[in-house]
């Protein structure tokens, strides 16, 4: 491996670690706000609610893929959301084995409350950073993700 390739891989590793650290810090801060609102809600439950607010009616496999959790964990989390009246499963008419998951009105209300808190934290994280820099970073990360596919 050439010195340049080694430097690129080390920089990519450092970038990955920095993104993981940022996600972890944001997650902790968001969980703190969630606990103030409802101590029974976890970040994972809110993450699924947020995903459904952008993609209502997707199935459990799609949720599993998008939040990077195994299907059994997603089943447990969705069962918890159903019990709380935040989502509902509806059988897909084309494939009865495939349930689609939809937000209930109560689930939408929670997202409408919590989403602004998350945006506020992301705004704070992006303080003193130009939109162009964020766009460049976003393109870079998406390119790296594509390279892994």
């Amino acid at each position: 491996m050439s010195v340049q390739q080694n430097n690129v891989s080390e920089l990519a590793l450092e970038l990955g670690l920095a993104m993981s650290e940022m996600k972890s810090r944001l997650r902790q801060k968001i969980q703190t706000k969630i606990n103030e609102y409802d101590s029974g809600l976890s970040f994972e439950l809110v993450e699924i609610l947020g995903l459904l607010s952008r993609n209502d009616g997707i199935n459990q496999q799609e949720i599993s893929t998008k939040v990077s959790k195994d299907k059994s964990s997603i089943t447990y989390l969705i069962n918890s959301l159903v019990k709380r009246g935040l989502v509902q499963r509806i059988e897909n008419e084309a494939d009865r084995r495939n349930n689609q998951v939809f937000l209930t009105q109560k689930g939408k209300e929670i997202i409408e409350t919590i989403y602004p808190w998350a945006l506020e934290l992301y705004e704070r994280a992006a303080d003193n950073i130009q939109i162009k820099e964020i766009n460049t970073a976003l393109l870079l990360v998406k390119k790296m993700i594509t390279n892994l596919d």
Side-chain angles (χ1 to χ4, degrees), residues 34-74:
I34 292 168
N35 287 345
E36 292 171 11
Y37 174 74
D38 180 343
S39 61
L41 277 176
S42 68
F43 179 85
E44 289 83 4
L45 294 174
V46 172
E47 184 178 30
I48 292 171
L49 293 175
L51 174 62
L52 290 172
S53 74
R54 296 182 303 277
N55 303 282
D56 210 19
I58 61 176
N59 66 36
Q60 288 183 212
Q61 182 60 50
E62 291 170 298
I63 293 170
S64 175
T65 300
K66 290 188 182 287
V67 299
S68 300
K69 292 199 181 299
D70 62 82
K71 200 170 178 183
S72 63
S73 296
I74 293 301

Side-chain angles (χ1 to χ4, degrees), residues 19-119:
M19 289 186 310
S20 180
E21 175 69 17
M22 184 184 84
K23 181 179 179 180
S24 177
R25 287 184 186 204
L26 284 165
R27 179 186 174 127
Q28 288 172 341
K29 291 183 181 304
I30 290 169
Q31 184 64 61
T32 299
K33 291 293 273 185
I34 292 168
N35 287 345
E36 292 171 11
Y37 174 74
D38 180 343
S39 61
L41 277 176
S42 68
F43 179 85
E44 289 83 4
L45 294 174
V46 172
E47 184 178 30
I48 292 171
L49 293 175
L51 174 62
L52 290 172
S53 74
R54 296 182 303 277
N55 303 282
D56 210 19
I58 61 176
N59 66 36
Q60 288 183 212
Q61 182 60 50
E62 291 170 298
I63 293 170
S64 175
T65 300
K66 290 188 182 287
V67 299
S68 300
K69 292 199 181 299
D70 62 82
K71 200 170 178 183
S72 63
S73 296
I74 293 301
T75 300
Y76 174 80
L77 292 168
I78 291 173
N79 286 344
S80 178
L81 290 167
V82 168
K83 284 179 190 171
R84 295 177 68 108
L86 303 176
V87 301
Q88 61 180 340
R89 286 186 179 102
I90 297 178
E91 212 174 70
N92 184 330
E93 291 182 18
D95 180 0
R96 293 191 179 275
R97 296 167 295 157
N98 190 8
N99 289 320
Q100 294 173 282
V101 183
F102 292 89
L103 284 175
T104 62
Q105 186 57 40
K106 187 176 176 184
K108 290 175 186 174
E109 290 168 6
I110 287 177
I111 286 302
E112 288 171 7
T113 300
I114 294 174
Y115 187 69
W117 301 338
L119 284 181

